[in-house]
Amino acid sequence: MSHTALTAEEIAGLSEQPFFKTDALIAGCWQGSTDGDTFAVENPATDEVIAVVANCGAIETEQAITAASDALAGWAQTPAKSRAKILRAWFDLIIANEQDLARLLTIEQGKPLDEALGEVRYGASYIEWFSEEAKRIYGDVIPAPSTDKRIYTLKQPVGVVACITPWNFPSAMLARKIAPALAAGCTVVCKPANETPLSALALGHYAIEAGVPAGVINILCGKTQEIGAALTSSPVVRKLSFTGSTAVGKMLTAACSSTMKRTSMELGGNAPFIVFADADLEAALDGLMASKFRNSGQTCVCANRVLVAEEIIEQFTQMLVDRLSKSVLGNGLSQGTTIGPLIQKNAVAKVQGLVAKAIEQGATSVNLPHQTPSTGNFVAPLILKDVTADMEIFDAEIFGPVATLIGFDHYDQAIKLANQTTAGLAAYVYTQDASTMIKASEQLEFGIVGVNEGIISNEMAPFGGVKESGHGREGSKYGLEDYLEVKYVCLGGLH
Ligand code: NAP
């Protein structure tokens, strides 16, 4: 796809589109905060303010919870086929407007336009998938222990669901939660990240256009602590589905225990990327470029520690330098950009701090030709060699375009280094040996393993982690179960 940087007029044109919403969506209406307070959203590539959004708090959250609660019975009783049709109409509208939605996403989040378009389509694919799955929610008939009884199970919606999502995939992370929730018959109150509310609010606009009834989807941002406290303490909210950092996930899980809510936690990762000596190195580089540098290294499944067999590490490093030298750092709207900015200035400082500490501890940085733009939150892509397991950068989720290379001598050492983390989201293995593929995928303590594959997420597969990367699965048939209760009915006294 070819594109050039948008002019100021074109950006202004986007803000005149009907999907460009800055108010909260509550009970089917767009409303400002009760006190009229707002906050600014900035373009991370230019530091420009692109929108001023309603700064909501506890009052608006209570309104949204009430709206979701009022809408619940009607939506849960809407026949699955009708819910499916509405979800499908929502998917169709998103796809019909995907180019504009991608521009909006790039302007608020920073990722290159091609990636933003990929995200819009990826998020929409969950809406399509769950529109189909909505019709396939089955209970069981179970053999009873005596002839006077019958046992069967019903699958029923969990109820009102709170969805809290991060800024790194502002469209897809929300779609991945709302779609299964609505398919199951639940209603939702959503709190997208304050850095990137516009893509979420745009999804809300198209949901209403598609016929989602008032109150079924509510979306608000603003005073994070107040919104979080109102959602987690409410007895009406029966589930929290959260995607974000492990630290916040733990805190929210604890807060949900007072009302014994169900939780789904999609938390931080620390993905090992293992390249065995027999790997197809070009394929491994394709996978590493995709998994490490997509979204400037700001994905939960980003390769975080690149473990390379000692006998090929020099060759592999040189091949990576050649590939990475061709990447283009810049504004995601500019033609040819492959690596955009980080989300915030403090993210830049965090990544730079991790790199400086690693170098102090003995890592070596490999020179690359990129110039950092003068505005925005940019970090030039970087390769660090001679990284060891005792360095802070080995344990931290880097969340920036920095590849750390660590050598290993044999299979057991590679698996041990890979598993040496409290996170357990995604892992990658490159080898041409079938035994290594099978053994490694069984022995890696992660929820997702990519074998000779760097792009691992799609709507048909269960996405989620183990250990401190959380619990629950998004996508696939398993993704729907997270929004359903199993009710057992015992029919007795038959004669
Ligand atoms: P974050 O700081 O945990 O924020 C995530 C969301 O939680 C944002 O909407 C944030 O709101 C909200 N939040 C923060 N404190 C809260 C509180 N006290 N009450 C209620 N909501 C609260 O994470 P992030 O830095 O945005 O996202 C990056 C993290 O997400 C990384 O660790 C990444 O690995 C993880 N992630 C995981 C997955 C997965 O599927 N496992 C996918 C994507 C990202 P504000 O924006 O207002 O602070």
Side-chain angles (χ1 to χ4, degrees), residues 241-258:
S241 180
F242 173 75
T243 298
S245 62
T246 298
V248 174
K250 285 181 182 177
M251 193 270 292
L252 292 174
T253 302
C256 284
S257 69
S258 66

Side-chain angles (χ1 to χ4, degrees), residues 164-168 173 176 191-195 224-225 228 242-245 248 251-252 266-269 300 397 399 425 463:
I164 303 182
T165 50
W167 46 263
N168 60 348
M173 293 302 100
R176 231 163 62 161
K191 194 265 173 236
N194 283 347
E195 290 92 344
T224 306
Q225 314 283 333
F242 173 75
T243 298
S245 62
V248 174
M251 193 270 292
L252 292 174
E266 298 282 351
L267 309 177
C300 51
E397 190 180 20
F399 248 51
L425 186 55
F463 188 100

Side-chain angles (χ1 to χ4, degrees), residues 12 21 23 247 263 357 379 429 431 474 478 485 491:
K21 298 291 185 198
D23 284 341
T263 54
K357 183 85 185 287
V379 168
V429 182
T431 176
E474 292 191 330
Y478 304 105
E485 297 285 7
L491 202 59

Side-chain angles (χ1 to χ4, degrees), residues 241-295:
S241 180
F242 173 75
T243 298
S245 62
T246 298
V248 174
K250 285 181 182 177
M251 193 270 292
L252 292 174
T253 302
C256 284
S257 69
S258 66
T259 47
M260 212 44 96
K261 287 185 211 323
R262 279 176 69 170
T263 54
S264 292
M265 292 282 146
E266 298 282 351
L267 309 177
N270 187 337
F273 190 101
I274 311 176
V275 187
F276 286 100
D278 68 342
D280 173 340
L281 295 190
E282 290 295 343
L285 278 166
D286 289 344
L288 184 59
M289 290 302 292
S291 96
K292 174 70 253 183
F293 296 100
R294 192 163 54 101
N295 203 9

